Amino acid sequence: MMQVVETFGLELMAWMGGVAAGYLAWASAPFWWPAMRAFGGRRRLPRPLLFSACAGCLAYAAYLGLLVALRLLILAVPPLSAGLEQLASHPGIAATLLAALVYGLPLLVFTGWAARFLGARWARLMAPSADAQPAP
């Protein structure tokens, strides 16, 4: 461990740890954000773990649908594709920020939407039906 710290330096190691923690928080947001909605707040939702899993899967499905649509748009419009490839070929902050905005923010937006959309309907979805028979 000390060889790694000596090679990269303590400041760079702290930056890499911070970036890793930020990426973990961003990538797992579709599951912990709905979990906060299910377990906390004024009313606890029934079956909170199932709610978190469903909302996370819905957020990732909408996000992947957006990525597929974006990729099809880039393939359909050649000048746009050439411009994006030229921007991505230059290393620097512009390409990094563009990728973060295009790929990072929609996941958080879809996560908020999925938690709100399912949260409003979850109690009705998990309510037992009127003709359900109790187990003997």
Side-chain angles (χ1 to χ4, degrees):
M1 179 67 177
M2 289 306 293
Q3 289 177 340
V4 175
V5 173
E6 289 174 4
T7 303
F8 292 114
L10 190 58
E11 185 176 327
L12 183 59
M13 291 296 293
W15 272 101
M16 288 192 294
V19 168
Y23 179 77
L24 178 66
W26 168 77
S28 62
F31 297 104
W32 60 258
W33 188 340
M36 287 177 28
R37 164 70 175 92
F39 286 105
R42 293 171 288 189
R43 295 180 306 161
R44 183 176 172 171
L45 294 175
R47 294 184 159 180
L49 292 177
L50 182 63
F51 172 77
S52 298
C54 288
C57 290
L58 182 63
Y60 270 120
Y63 177 67
L64 290 176
L66 174 77
L67 291 181
V68 168
L70 182 66
R71 185 65 182 158
L72 289 175
L73 177 69
I74 289 173
L75 290 175
V77 183
L80 179 64
S81 177
L84 287 176
E85 287 176 12
Q86 182 182 8
L87 180 64
S89 68
H90 298 300
I93 195 74
T96 304
L97 287 178
L98 179 67
L101 289 175
V102 169
Y103 295 114
L105 290 179
L107 181 60
L108 296 178
V109 169
F110 286 132
T111 299
W113 169 79
R116 184 175 292 232
F117 178 79
L118 277 180
R121 295 160 178 80
W122 193 254
R124 286 181 300 176
L125 290 172
M126 292 295 119
S129 62
D131 53 332
Q133 301 279 335

